[in-house]
Amino acid sequence: MSSIADCSISMLSNASDDPIFKATMKRNKKRHELRVSKADLLAGDGHNWRKYGQKEILGAKHRRAYYRCTHRNSQGCKAVKQVQGTDEDPTFFNIVYIGEHTSAQGQRAPGQAATDAQAPEYKYNANPGASSLLQSQSSSLTVEPEQQLQGWDAPAPFCFSSTPAMVSGCLVLESSPFSAPSRSKNWGVSSATSDSNHVASFPPFEVAGDDAFFRFDEADDYGFLDDLDSTSDVFSFLE
DNA sequence: TAGATTTGACCACC
DNA sequence: GGTGGTCAAATCTA
């Protein structure tokens, strides 16, 4: 069962003084860091990723998995994603997006409105009332975990919560959290406290009004994740 | 059989 | 030399 609190996302600190961050920035131009729940991670972010590495990180409890765009070879897409379980809360993951998607394919679920394949965005609806309605619709919106793990081509139901117990809205990734050149530079990141789960600002994300939509995944308390070990899922690094 | 994942090794940076 | 990031061969899966 996925509670509202489970469906949360928060920006992490850029930690400009963090040596790891610095090292990353030396090699990469753009770095967007998110914190998502297991359900959100399973739901995918609208892109097709291919895992190319996994590594133990010093001082971290969980291994870090490295993904790059499936269209890296075919379209030369340089987008890279890093996924790592958080130390303080095993149900949450730090996702770091590096680079921009240059591929036009694999960013959206079929049938999803494509306003601009090169400038995807999150939409954020601050209307809490909408969550209950959408929760009732979750059964029809939930995507099979296996499907998500194989394709990662469905919109990500990233959700906001200012505290673990309170939801203020839900982010829906229409295609990608990065690759919007005109907005990426505005990614203001407020630091996340060690107790995590606090929402920071998402400048590149559009606070949508009526056209925003929510989605809650029913993950049965993420129990299905435990069953994914045998399917070479993306969470194997948590073992 | 093709595509994805795993994993050890290598490279770049500090 | 230590660490993070990437490569590529081996392995797995549909």
Side-chain angles (χ1 to χ4, degrees), chain A residues 36-188:
Chain A
V36 303
S37 68
K38 281 183 179 180
D40 294 336
L41 187 59
L42 271 178
D45 56 11
H47 288 271
N48 295 323
W49 297 99
R50 176 172 176 171
K51 190 176 185 177
Y52 67 88
Q54 178 174 282
K55 202 171 183 68
E56 296 279 355
I57 301 301
L58 190 70
K61 295 179 181 178
H62 307 290
R63 285 172 288 180
R64 179 178 297 169
Y66 300 89
Y67 300 85
R68 59 187 167 208
C69 181
T70 300
H71 307 292
R72 175 189 172 95
N73 295 329
S74 61
Q75 298 183 28
C77 184
K78 300 294 188 352
V80 170
K81 178 170 81 170
Q82 299 174 358
V83 180
Q84 182 177 10
T86 60
D87 293 343
E88 61 271 25
D89 189 344
T91 64
F92 281 83
F93 301 82
N94 291 335
I95 301 180
V96 179
Y97 294 96
I98 300 168
E100 295 182 35
H101 267 290
T102 57
S103 63
Q105 298 178 9
Q107 294 193 7
R108 293 173 185 278
Q112 196 174 3
T115 55
D116 184 356
Q118 295 303 318
E121 62 188 25
Y122 282 98
K123 285 190 175 182
Y124 168 65
N125 189 326
N127 178 9
S131 5
S132 59
L133 171 62
L134 286 152
Q135 267 188 304
S136 67
Q137 300 173 335
S138 60
S139 58
S140 62
L141 293 169
T142 299
V143 180
E144 291 297 323
E146 201 172 316
Q147 175 186 344
Q148 291 301 315
L149 292 170
Q150 292 175 352
W152 289 84
D153 57 356
F158 289 151
C159 305
F160 264 109
S161 70
S162 56
T163 70
M166 179 180 77
V167 68
S168 58
C170 179
L171 278 177
V172 175
L173 177 61
E174 290 199 322
S175 57
S176 169
F178 51 99
S179 79
S182 63
R183 298 183 182 188
S184 298
K185 62 182 179 183
N186 294 327
W187 272 76

